[in-house]
Amino acid sequence: MKRILLSAASIAVWVACGGGTKQGSTTPGAGSGSGSGGASMSGSGVPGTPANAGGGIDTAGGGSGSAGGGGGMPDSGNPVTAPPNQGPPIIFPNQDPDPATVRTQVDQHLNIARSALSAPTPDADTALREAREALKLDAANLDAAAMIAFAYYHKKQFDTAELVLDDLFKRPAAKENANVLYVYGLVYDKTNRPEQAVLAFQKAVAINPNFASALVDLGVHQLQNKQYTDAQATFEKLTGMGRNDAVTLTSLASAYRGRSGDYAPGTPDRNQYITQAEATYKKALAIDSSYGPAYYNLALLYLDSDPFPSGGGTLDTMARLNAAKTYMDQYKNMAGVDMKLFDQREKEIDKAVKRAQKAAKKAGKAGKGGAP
């Protein structure tokens, strides 16, 4: 049986040629929905609906007349007898592949592709090959097509990735596929369209609330936009899903640190968020002591939080600033350190230390002068 699949021709172009020239964009707008965290894809695709290949029911006879040449009943008046038994009907074998077998084979190819892209050094070529093999088996599979776009994203061919996505988005089912929208968000991020990226990630999470990679990228944007309450909810959900790696915990701690700024110094709510941030940063470092951003952000927590709650009281100013300097110096020794950022923050800490020393000296003199 011959099947015609929606958009099979357009997907076949990408399978055969691997790219093209972008003509027009069907990129989703603000209503369609919109990252360095994650490097893996999850969720289930919605296959396209095959169209009917036939043109209707074709009858072999030429009309509804009788077997006789003149039409009507035979002249003899004898009843018409049934034709002799010619044996059982002929049943032609079904040449179509078993859908369950095809689905299993497609999943196998996609799992190899996902593993290739989630490796420490993503293997985009392997992912691209496996996604194309999956499409050969099921040309309507949206997840396989999205994986092709994802592979091009990892190859840094962002225009090609977006062309694949734009072609996919002509199909109504693609608008409700979390993987398609997630890759859109990644491409938007890399091409300096943060607002569209956020909308794409939001839509992906709305379709699949447990899409961890999309949640991570959405949370990063929430932190960047100082939406600390939303970021807290996002990263607490991720930790609740078992994502307790250093990256996720550091992001959650930064959300707590941001929340502390919503309250006046010394108030119980502010102290609570400062304490939560400190504990969560240290938990991240206990998991991965080489994760530089945790040291950097913990140093900022000590630098900016004055007074700093500690053991039912407050941390001495010099002790607080010395802690900030210690963690910033450790950040300097980590791989991937941003030296320009380090130099800037180190100067801030040094100035704060000098101000504190000057204030302490002044207070000491005032105390001596006021003594009897």
Side-chain angles (χ1 to χ4, degrees), residues 199-265:
L199 291 173
F201 293 137
Q202 286 175 336
K203 181 64 175 176
V205 170
I207 294 170
N208 180 3
N210 294 323
F211 196 162
S213 296
L215 282 167
V216 168
D217 286 290
L218 177 60
V220 168
H221 277 279
Q222 289 167 337
L223 285 176
Q224 291 172 345
N225 295 330
K226 300 183 179 181
Q227 298 169 312
Y228 298 122
T229 301
D230 292 336
Q232 177 186 342
T234 297
F235 287 110
E236 282 182 342
K237 180 171 184 176
L238 281 163
T239 56
M241 292 166 54
R243 288 281 294 243
N244 289 302
D245 54 279
V247 178
T248 304
L249 288 169
T250 298
S251 298
L252 176 57
S254 293
Y256 291 145
R257 181 163 65 89
R259 290 295 309 276
S260 70
D262 294 336
Y263 303 93

Side-chain angles (χ1 to χ4, degrees), residues 43-293:
S44 59
V46 181
T49 306
N52 192 324
I57 300 176
D58 187 17
T59 57
S64 57
S66 66
M73 295 294 292
D75 291 340
S76 64
N78 295 328
V80 179
T81 59
N85 188 353
Q86 298 179 0
I90 297 175
I91 301 176
F92 294 95
N94 183 4
Q95 300 296 332
D96 289 339
D98 176 53
T101 300
V102 171
R103 186 162 51 249
T104 298
Q105 293 172 339
V106 168
D107 289 343
Q108 288 172 345
H109 286 297
L110 291 181
N111 286 335
I112 295 173
R114 291 188 189 98
S115 297
L117 293 182
S118 62
T121 302
D123 184 355
D125 290 328
T126 295
L128 196 57
R129 183 187 68 243
E130 294 298 322
R132 285 172 173 164
E133 290 299 319
L135 279 178
K136 289 179 183 178
L137 294 166
D138 181 3
N141 192 286
L142 288 170
D143 284 337
M147 184 65 73
I148 284 182
F150 198 32
Y152 280 124
Y153 165 82
H154 278 283
K155 289 169 74 71
K156 302 187 187 305
Q157 297 180 20
F158 305 126
D159 288 343
T160 303
E162 189 168 357
L163 280 168
V164 175
L165 294 170
D166 285 350
D167 195 52
L168 273 177
F169 220 70
K170 297 172 184 176
R171 299 162 58 179
K175 296 175 174 61
E176 297 300 323
N177 183 278
N179 287 333
V180 171
L181 290 156
Y182 172 64
V183 181
Y184 256 129
L186 295 176
V187 171
Y188 290 147
D189 254 344
K190 290 296 184 179
T191 52
N192 298 317
R193 288 173 283 176
E195 293 182 359
Q196 288 174 274
V198 169
L199 291 173
F201 293 137
Q202 286 175 336
K203 181 64 175 176
V205 170
I207 294 170
N208 180 3
N210 294 323
F211 196 162
S213 296
L215 282 167
V216 168
D217 286 290
L218 177 60
V220 168
H221 277 279
Q222 289 167 337
L223 285 176
Q224 291 172 345
N225 295 330
K226 300 183 179 181
Q227 298 169 312
Y228 298 122
T229 301
D230 292 336
Q232 177 186 342
T234 297
F235 287 110
E236 282 182 342
K237 180 171 184 176
L238 281 163
T239 56
M241 292 166 54
R243 288 281 294 243
N244 289 302
D245 54 279
V247 178
T248 304
L249 288 169
T250 298
S251 298
L252 176 57
S254 293
Y256 291 145
R257 181 163 65 89
R259 290 295 309 276
S260 70
D262 294 336
Y263 303 93
T267 59
D269 287 332
R270 181 182 175 91
N271 289 345
Q272 176 189 338
Y273 281 116
I274 291 173
T275 301
Q276 283 182 290
E278 179 188 30
T280 309
Y281 282 133
K282 290 182 176 179
K283 184 176 179 181
L285 289 173
I287 292 172
D288 184 0
S289 61
S290 64
Y291 187 58

Side-chain angles (χ1 to χ4, degrees), residues 278-318:
E278 179 188 30
T280 309
Y281 282 133
K282 290 182 176 179
K283 184 176 179 181
L285 289 173
I287 292 172
D288 184 0
S289 61
S290 64
Y291 187 58
Y295 290 107
Y296 175 82
N297 284 283
L298 187 53
L300 292 187
L301 178 69
Y302 282 110
L303 174 62
D304 297 335
S305 302
D306 183 21
F308 197 98
S310 177
T314 59
L315 199 62
D316 176 76
T317 298
M318 286 306 302

Side-chain angles (χ1 to χ4, degrees), residues 14 24-25 27 45 53 55 79 84 117 126 142 194 230 264 307 321 331 337:
W14 290 107
S25 176
T27 297
L117 293 182
T126 295
L142 288 170
D230 292 336
L321 294 175
Y331 167 66
V337 59

